Amino acid sequence: MPTHAEKRHLPYRPDELFGLVAGVDQYPQFLPWCKAARITKREGAVFYADLVIAFKVYRERFTSKVTLHPEERRIDVEYIDGPFRYLNNHWAFHQAEDGGCIVDFYVDFEFKSRVLQRLIGLLFNEAVRRMVAAFEARARQLYGGRETTSKTLEVSSDLATSSR
């Protein structure tokens, strides 16, 4: 169902952005529609998180397994439980030649509910745009403004129907 892949250049160090994305328990402070986040279990570089997402009359909780790969500066998110049929999410943070970071982001999901699936289909591109903007704004807030600006390098969004 909805899939989004994006490579973006940001004027922050890879370790800064890795830390920002890995800080799931901080998401309600800046991420649109994220009303609550709680780390329920930690096992070394792996943790389990419950997130509550709310939009208008819809409120859903889901559980994910988050695997941190600090040496590779990669984060893999695996869906455990909640309103999705499936959810795949990956982040990678690569050093850019100018000292900034190339963020490689991928998300693919499908809701169990056809109503939610239709709703997100109408709002998907706007939701992704707001989410990306929220992470950038949070990075500016935490790490300050930088001389270079962010730049989208590649974007691919697909709302096609899947047979999963």
Side-chain angles (χ1 to χ4, degrees), residues 51 53 59-63 79 81-86 110-113 116-117:
L51 269 70
I53 306 298
R59 186 176 183 90
E60 296 287 346
R61 182 194 62 80
F62 69 96
T63 302
Y79 175 65
D81 186 41
F84 299 101
R85 206 176 303 290
Y86 67 90
E110 182 177 344
F111 283 104
K112 293 175 188 172
S113 161
L116 283 176
Q117 194 62 34

Side-chain angles (χ1 to χ4, degrees), residues 19-20 22-31 34 37 39 138 142:
L20 172 62
V24 173
D25 55 340
Q26 302 300 303
Y27 285 6
Q29 294 179 23
F30 69 93
L31 204 54
C34 185
I39 307 303
R138 182 66 168 178
L142 293 176

Side-chain angles (χ1 to χ4, degrees), residues 35-86:
K35 300 303 176 196
R38 181 172 61 105
I39 307 303
T40 59
K41 181 177 177 184
R42 288 190 186 272
E43 299 172 339
V46 175
F47 64 86
Y48 294 81
D50 286 345
L51 269 70
V52 176
I53 306 298
F55 180 77
K56 299 202 183 231
V57 298
Y58 294 98
R59 186 176 183 90
E60 296 287 346
R61 182 194 62 80
F62 69 96
T63 302
S64 298
K65 175 183 174 184
V66 180
T67 304
L68 306 176
H69 305 276
E71 306 80 26
E72 302 165 39
R73 293 181 287 219
R74 193 178 86 239
I75 298 172
D76 297 317
V77 180
E78 187 180 326
Y79 175 65
I80 302 296
D81 186 41
F84 299 101
R85 206 176 303 290
Y86 67 90

